[in-house]
Amino acid sequence: TRLPGFQGEWDVKRLGELADTDPENLGTETRSDYEFNYIALEDVDRGSLRSHSEQWFASAPSRARRKLRENDVLVSTVRPNLQSHLLFRTKVGEWVCSTGFCVVRCRPCVTSPDYIFAHLFSAPVKRQIDALLTGSNYPAINSGDVRALRIPVPTYAEQTAIAAALSDMDAEIVALKARRDKTRALKQAMMQQLLTGRTRLI
């Protein structure tokens, strides 16, 4: 299915051809008093950043090494079948994530971070990851495996349009969930009134 106004064949390329992986890392020369916000594996749940911690390099976990920039895509390489991936949106502050993530940094006007991020939850990418995990005692992949993931790629303009359409659907889902929760709370309040006789039906 194509969005209106787009034509032409899509290419299938490896992710490593479309983006840079783990482009910035903290080395041993990093100042001991370097302060940053740290994202561990357990802080991410299927696209949501649930929490983070504040760290100094001198006392930070040994896995706290991958520097982040806005719109970096974090691919969970430990238990990747749980899909604890994240599209990092924060503009302010110094941020670092665990080496349990492969950081994918899209190239400007070549690949859309939103488009690449959406593919991490698609069936074709899931099958590729599952194939890598088959027969493994420890469910993990590495950055080389992430670079080798094959993804269908249209033009940058079409990538952006697809990502916008999916984002609109996410916003609608959030609105519907909020409406559901409000209706559920209203029902709960009515139960309290009706089942105690405080409010009588006409």
Side-chain angles (χ1 to χ4, degrees), residues 182-194:
K182 184 177 180 180
T183 304
R184 184 175 288 158
L186 178 61
K187 178 195 172 185
Q188 193 68 28
M190 286 299 296
M191 285 176 63
Q192 292 296 324
Q193 294 294 318
L194 291 171

Side-chain angles (χ1 to χ4, degrees), residues 25-28 30-32 34-43 52-67 96-101:
N25 294 278
L26 299 179
T28 54
T30 304
R31 297 190 333 268
S32 61
Y34 174 61
E35 190 174 358
F36 56 87
N37 300 300
Y38 174 56
I39 300 175
L41 284 166
E42 57 269 21
D43 293 329
H52 69 277
S53 60
E54 297 178 359
Q55 302 282 348
W56 283 337
F57 182 74
S59 56
S62 59
R63 278 180 168 268
R65 290 295 181 269
R66 306 218 191 282
K67 291 196 71 173
V96 172
C97 74
S98 166
T99 53
F101 295 104

Side-chain angles (χ1 to χ4, degrees), residues 86-105:
L86 179 70
L87 179 51
F88 184 70
R89 295 292 200 188
T90 305
K91 299 179 181 180
V92 180
E94 295 289 315
W95 288 81
V96 172
C97 74
S98 166
T99 53
F101 295 104
C102 173
V103 176
V104 176
R105 187 167 296 169

Side-chain angles (χ1 to χ4, degrees), residues 55-156:
Q55 302 282 348
W56 283 337
F57 182 74
S59 56
S62 59
R63 278 180 168 268
R65 290 295 181 269
R66 306 218 191 282
K67 291 196 71 173
L68 298 176
R69 305 291 178 195
E70 182 188 7
N71 289 324
D72 281 349
V73 178
L74 279 62
V75 182
S76 175
T77 56
V78 178
R79 300 188 184 279
N81 51 308
L82 298 180
Q83 297 182 318
S84 296
H85 313 306
L86 179 70
L87 179 51
F88 184 70
R89 295 292 200 188
T90 305
K91 299 179 181 180
V92 180
E94 295 289 315
W95 288 81
V96 172
C97 74
S98 166
T99 53
F101 295 104
C102 173
V103 176
V104 176
R105 187 167 296 169
C106 293
R107 295 165 188 163
C109 299
V110 176
T111 41
S112 160
D114 299 82
Y115 179 83
I116 295 299
F117 180 67
H119 266 288
L120 298 178
F121 299 91
S122 69
V125 168
K126 183 179 184 301
R127 284 194 293 269
Q128 292 177 66
I129 291 175
D130 287 345
L132 292 168
L133 297 179
T134 300
S136 173
N137 293 326
Y138 183 64
I141 58 176
N142 57 46
S143 294
D145 296 325
V146 174
R147 287 191 291 272
L149 292 173
R150 298 178 65 83
I151 292 177
V153 186
T155 63
Y156 180 75

